[in-house]
Amino acid sequence: MASASATGHNVLLVSIVLLATVCACTAESPYAAGLSEDYYQKTCPQAASIVDAYVTKFLSKDRNFAGAFNRLQFHDCWVGGCDGSVLLNSTTTNQAEREAHVNFGLRGVAEVDEIKAALERVCPGVVSCADILILAARDATAKVGGPTWSVALGRRDGVNSTALMADTNLPFPVLNFSGLVANFAAKGFGAREMITLSGHQQFGFNALDLLIEKNTPAFESFSAHTIGRTHCNGILPHLYNFTGKDDATDTNPAMDKNFAVFLKKHCPQGNTTNTIFIDSTANTFDRAYYKNVLQGKGIFITDAALITNPVGKKIVTRFSKPGKSFFTEFAAAMVKMGNLGVLTNTEGEIRRTCQFVN
């Protein structure tokens, strides 16, 4: 009897061990299939350090590149997935994403190409432009006071890029709360994640003809609300003719009156080219954006929209206060964004230069 009992006990232990092994093996990874943190360990172990060094170099010249690199990741991943397609040039037969209304004022493309050239000298044909964007956004965020996060690599570069895809995927700057929620839900992100990324991502927007004439530069998209700057064309709908009265005094009533006067001095009616920093700490990743939104000092219409919904206002209030919640959730949202529509294995290609297909 004792022997049978021992045997039964051993079988139970083996079963528990096997079950634990299965659970460990099937635990959901935070990364898309085909991506891993050590992807370049054998083929280009210097990849991450090279990107980091160049990001440091660019930020030492202009800290606003932190916002530019963040905007590049968002505008790439939101349009057909994280495949580096936002970097491609137009051709004689195709208008690429970079020419889209939503990508007006896009910066950092030449800098990404410089990083790519450095990597090609060390590890030719190995590191994708898509992965460079992911690394640069992470490194730039951390270098201006934001969180850092583990990055999975192994993306390959896409060969298709159209302005129409960008203009129909990125959220428009006059969307209300439900419109923003719907846009993010289409990519698998919840309302809380939308608000989290609003604190950093200056969303791209669909330039609808009924609001913008075809020959008018479109609104600057959200390339970092807590870091970065924007052209006045992204602010004008907030300041003038808000309800369609064609009146210079027709300003969004949700905006703080003194703040509106300040913005109008920097962005006179009709001026689309002046630039302005997005908040008082525009080159530092912090919670100032959320504090500004609660005070009616958000730059964009979509900023004010975040607190028109009770749930949205609660989240904005939470993120405006000290604590790790915003930084932690932001990092998780960036990892999740980096999984969108990735190309791996034999899909796509590894471009030799980021602005041209091979």
Side-chain angles (χ1 to χ4, degrees):
M1 292 294 293
S3 177
S5 176
T7 300
H9 180 67
N10 289 339
V11 170
L12 179 60
L13 285 176
V14 170
S15 298
I16 292 173
V17 170
L18 288 174
L19 180 61
T21 303
V22 170
C23 290
C25 292
T26 58
E28 186 177 353
S29 168
Y31 308 129
L35 304 183
S36 66
E37 293 180 29
D38 60 354
Y39 185 82
Y40 296 116
Q41 185 173 348
K42 294 182 179 179
T43 56
C44 191
Q46 313 97 313
S49 60
I50 289 173
V51 174
D52 183 79
Y54 272 83
V55 170
T56 298
K57 169 188 169 182
F58 298 136
L59 292 181
S60 68
K61 295 180 179 178
D62 181 359
R63 282 174 64 85
N64 192 249
F65 270 116
F69 288 134
N70 275 282
R71 184 183 182 201
L72 279 173
Q73 177 178 331
F74 181 77
H75 283 231
D76 184 41
C77 294
W78 224 245
V79 183
C82 308
D83 62 354
S85 58
V86 73
L87 301 169
L88 287 171
N89 286 345
S90 293
T91 66
T92 54
T93 58
N94 177 64
Q95 190 176 45
E97 290 174 38
R98 282 168 54 194
E99 303 303 321
H101 292 299
V102 295
N103 284 327
F104 174 73
L106 198 70
R107 303 173 68 225
V109 175
E111 285 69 25
V112 171
D113 253 349
E114 190 173 337
I115 298 172
K116 174 63 173 173
L119 288 165
E120 286 295 298
R121 289 191 290 271
V122 177
C123 314
V126 174
V127 182
S128 68
C129 300
D131 277 346
I132 293 173
L133 290 179
I134 298 296
L135 285 165
R138 188 272 307 270
D139 294 346
T141 300
K143 291 178 189 299
V144 294
T148 189
W149 53 90
S150 297
V151 169
L153 304 168
R155 297 165 191 79
R156 288 171 64 86
D157 298 320
V159 297
N160 299 309
S161 178
T162 67
L164 180 61
M165 281 286 288
D167 280 338
T168 54
N169 274 271
L170 290 158
F172 193 63
V174 294
L175 289 178
N176 58 21
F177 187 85
S178 60
L180 290 170
V181 168
N183 181 275
F184 273 70
K187 303 295 180 183
F189 288 73
R192 189 180 183 93
E193 291 170 316
M194 179 271 288
I195 294 172
T196 302
L197 290 172
S198 295
H200 128 285
Q201 284 300 111
Q202 188 178 339
F203 306 122
F205 303 105
N206 181 359
L208 299 177
D209 288 343
L210 66 104
L211 292 173
I212 305 177
E213 295 180 4
K214 291 182 179 179
N215 294 325
T216 301
F219 294 107
E220 174 88 2
S221 50
F222 286 23
S223 179
H225 274 183
T226 186
I227 47 174
R229 66 190 183 203
T230 183
H231 287 82
C232 286
N233 62 342
I235 304 172
L236 297 180
H238 211 19
L239 299 176
Y240 310 101
N241 195 28
F242 180 72
T243 62
K245 295 178 181 177
D246 195 23
D247 184 350
T249 63
D250 186 17
T251 302
N252 185 351
M255 180 178 282
D256 177 86
K257 290 181 172 56
N258 292 330
F259 187 59
V261 171
F262 166 79
L263 289 180
K264 286 181 177 182
K265 289 180 180 179
H266 292 275
C267 297
Q269 191 169 16
N271 184 304
T272 62
T273 57
N274 285 357
T275 60
I276 188 169
F277 286 111
I278 289 171
D279 67 37
S280 57
T281 59
N283 285 331
T284 301
F285 190 102
D286 57 20
R287 299 175 183 78
Y289 165 72
Y290 295 107
K291 296 176 182 178
N292 291 343
V293 168
L294 289 171
Q295 295 169 3
K297 297 178 181 179
I299 289 287
F300 300 98
I301 292 174
T302 44
D303 296 335
L306 297 182
I307 57 174
T308 60
N309 177 280
V311 174
K313 187 171 184 177
K314 182 178 180 180
I315 296 169
V316 170
T317 302
R318 169 74 179 275
F319 286 161
S320 71
K321 297 178 179 179
K324 295 182 179 180
S325 179
F326 168 48
F327 277 33
T328 301
E329 293 183 44
F330 173 76
M334 288 295 284
V335 171
K336 182 175 178 179
M337 188 199 303
N339 291 331
L340 291 175
V342 298
L343 302 175
T344 58
N345 300 318
T346 59
E347 299 172 313
E349 64 181 18
I350 302 297
R351 287 187 221 137
R352 288 188 289 272
T353 60
C354 292
Q355 297 185 51
F356 301 93
V357 296
N358 293 341

